[in-house]
Amino acid sequence: MKKVLVTGGLGFIGSHTVVELQNEGFEVVIIDDLSNSSIDVLDGIEAITGKKPIFEKLDLREKSDVEQFFKKHSTISGVIHFAASKAVGESVEKPLHYYENNINALVYVLKEMIGLEDSNFIFSSSCTVYGQAEKMPITENAPVQPAESPYGNTKQIGEEIIQDTCKIKSDFNAIALRYFNPIGAHSSAKIGELPIGVPQNLVPFITQTAAGLRDSLSVFGNDYPTPDGTCVRDYIHVVDLAKAHVIALERLLENKNSSNFETFNVGTGVGSSVLEVIQSFEKVSGESLTYKFAPRREGDVISAYANTEKANNSLGWTAKSTLDDAILSAWKWEKKIRNL
Ligand code: WQD
């Protein structure tokens, strides 16, 4: 059974990916520092798959701890690296925390991996590397634009660090998955998104408003040059996104990659406006949502949705769930954790 390390494996996307890895027969080792996740997620994963992953609480900024870990787990076939701080707004207020946590940790993991034989690395990247792309849908060749936030910059720098590592080590194979907007939860409602404090992202704010935790949703801007004036994004079901990680890892393990550094946009290819997301929620939940228009949010791009041809044709992955499916799963999860 191949052993895979998932850093940040108790987080939102990480935990869903651990489930899919176990479903595919991988042995999973999770590293998480629990700064933005809960140890209870381990029980949720086990409740779904019947298998409890090996878990080590570890801060990847501690170089010696990372070295010790790789000495102990020397038979790792691949690493899926989620561990990072990810709040765009927070990164503007605490840039040095973001550079330390997102860059130093990545470097320490890579330094251990290049010592392994034939190492395989999947990097959690982001569509934020494109900034406001000129052309929709966005292809992987779209120019990487100056980051709008330190968070986005850490993703760009991360990709460059990995690319430079691949250049000096031909048997170090990496794939950067550029996520669009991950939403939803596992159909079992045993794992899902657990935003700490006031949610920054649209969908958890919608479900918390409907659950009565928030008075109303503020729609940040309705004067954008889009069909209904609100921003357009590509909302992808987190389970579809998780499956893309397993397929990407298997691509490397089976030496199907065309070069030792590849990037793939992981989205549905469908752009949905904020108002369309609200309409989807009201349709699938039967609830009416209280919302009001508010000023634009600093740093928001007008529109971002993926051209998925490369992921569909080369990676052999396609998103299966619709916006309605994903929104319904998010609502089911919210009701579960609020005992509604
Ligand atoms: C979506 C739209 C908001 C909240 C996020 C991550 C980014 C990347 C992609 C991983 C925007 C609007 C939101 C609210 C609103 N993920 N909105 N009211 O900003 O596209 O990016 O996913 O790398 O890192 O930040 O997602 O959900 O915050 O916003 O009107 O209360 O919803 O203005 O138009 P975003 P989001």
Side-chain angles (χ1 to χ4, degrees):
M1 189 189 277
K2 287 194 182 294
K3 190 193 271 192
V4 179
L5 165 62
V6 180
T7 71
L10 294 183
F12 173 39
I13 306 167
S15 55
H16 286 83
T17 302
V18 169
V19 165
E20 299 308 323
L21 284 165
Q22 290 186 324
N23 290 344
E24 278 295 298
F26 287 99
E27 181 190 3
V28 177
V29 184
I30 292 175
I31 285 177
D32 204 299
D33 67 0
L34 298 177
S35 63
N36 189 25
S37 56
S38 157
I39 190 71
D40 298 340
V41 173
L42 262 182
D43 296 334
I45 292 168
E46 187 180 12
I48 296 169
T49 64
K51 289 171 267 187
K52 190 162 198 159
I54 301 164
F55 170 68
E56 297 214 12
K57 183 174 183 299
L58 198 148
D59 182 343
L60 293 171
R61 293 171 298 180
E62 299 301 330
K63 190 167 183 290
S64 56
D65 292 352
V66 178
E67 290 165 353
Q68 285 309 313
F69 175 89
F70 276 88
K71 281 198 182 69
K72 188 173 154 192
H73 296 277
S74 56
T75 58
I76 280 172
S77 310
V79 173
I80 304 183
H81 184 61
F82 292 103
S85 301
K86 59 159 194 168
V88 172
E90 183 190 49
S91 77
V92 175
E93 290 149 28
K94 303 178 187 168
L96 294 179
H97 167 73
Y98 271 70
Y99 289 113
E100 185 192 37
N101 197 34
N102 295 8
I103 303 296
N104 291 9
L106 170 65
V107 169
Y108 296 154
V109 170
L110 292 176
K111 288 184 84 164
E112 295 308 311
M113 287 192 70
I114 57 173
L116 302 175
E117 235 174 81
D118 185 26
S119 38
N120 302 293
F121 188 73
I122 308 296
F123 180 60
S124 165
S125 190
S126 167
C127 63
T128 45
V129 302
Y130 298 116
Q132 177 53 70
E134 292 298 308
K135 200 167 150 299
M136 293 297 136
I138 304 173
T139 67
E140 287 81 356
N141 306 322
V144 170
Q145 306 220 48
E148 311 256 343
S149 68
Y151 162 79
N153 205 21
T154 66
K155 291 301 177 184
Q156 291 181 7
I157 297 168
E159 286 196 12
E160 288 164 10
I161 291 171
I162 294 160
Q163 223 166 341
D164 288 343
T165 307
C166 292
K167 283 178 191 151
I168 56 147
K169 193 106 180 21
S170 60
D171 67 349
F172 175 76
N173 300 292
I175 290 177
L177 295 179
R178 292 172 175 170
Y179 309 161
F180 282 70
N181 289 52
I183 62 168
H186 191 266
S187 55
S188 65
K190 293 186 187 310
I191 55 174
E193 194 167 8
L194 286 167
I196 294 175
V198 179
Q200 298 301 305
N201 297 130
L202 176 65
V203 171
F205 204 106
I206 287 176
T207 56
Q208 286 194 12
T209 301
L213 278 79
R214 311 286 159 205
D215 294 336
S216 85
L217 168 77
S218 297
V219 175
F220 297 140
N222 66 331
D223 58 352
Y224 284 100
T226 61
D228 64 16
T230 63
C231 294
V232 173
R233 296 288 185 277
D234 183 333
Y235 296 94
I236 174 170
H237 195 298
V238 65
V239 173
D240 279 329
L241 179 57
K243 289 179 174 166
H245 289 76
V246 181
I247 291 170
L249 179 64
E250 286 170 335
R251 176 182 177 84
L252 298 184
L253 291 171
E254 292 157 18
N255 302 312
K256 290 181 179 163
N257 47 325
S258 51
S259 74
N260 73 332
F261 179 74
E262 296 176 305
T263 60
F264 293 97
N265 286 345
V266 186
T268 65
V270 176
S272 302
S273 73
V274 176
L275 287 179
E276 284 171 330
V277 173
I278 294 170
Q279 284 145 23
S280 168
F281 175 78
E282 294 187 325
K283 178 174 69 172
V284 301
S285 67
E287 306 278 339
S288 79
L289 191 81
T290 313
Y291 67 90
K292 59 184 186 304
F293 291 116
R296 295 182 174 192
R297 180 175 69 175
E298 193 66 31
D300 273 338
V301 296
I302 301 164
S303 178
Y305 55 94
N307 178 315
T308 59
E309 280 167 28
K310 190 179 172 192
N312 302 156
N313 303 332
S314 304
L315 188 56
W317 167 89
T318 302
K320 296 275 182 288
S321 296
T322 64
L323 176 68
D324 287 354
D325 300 331
I327 295 285
L328 181 57
S329 72
W331 179 229
K332 206 176 142 197
W333 165 249
E334 187 71 53
K335 286 193 289 185
K336 163 83 183 303
I337 56 177
R338 310 295 171 197
N339 301 315
L340 294 178

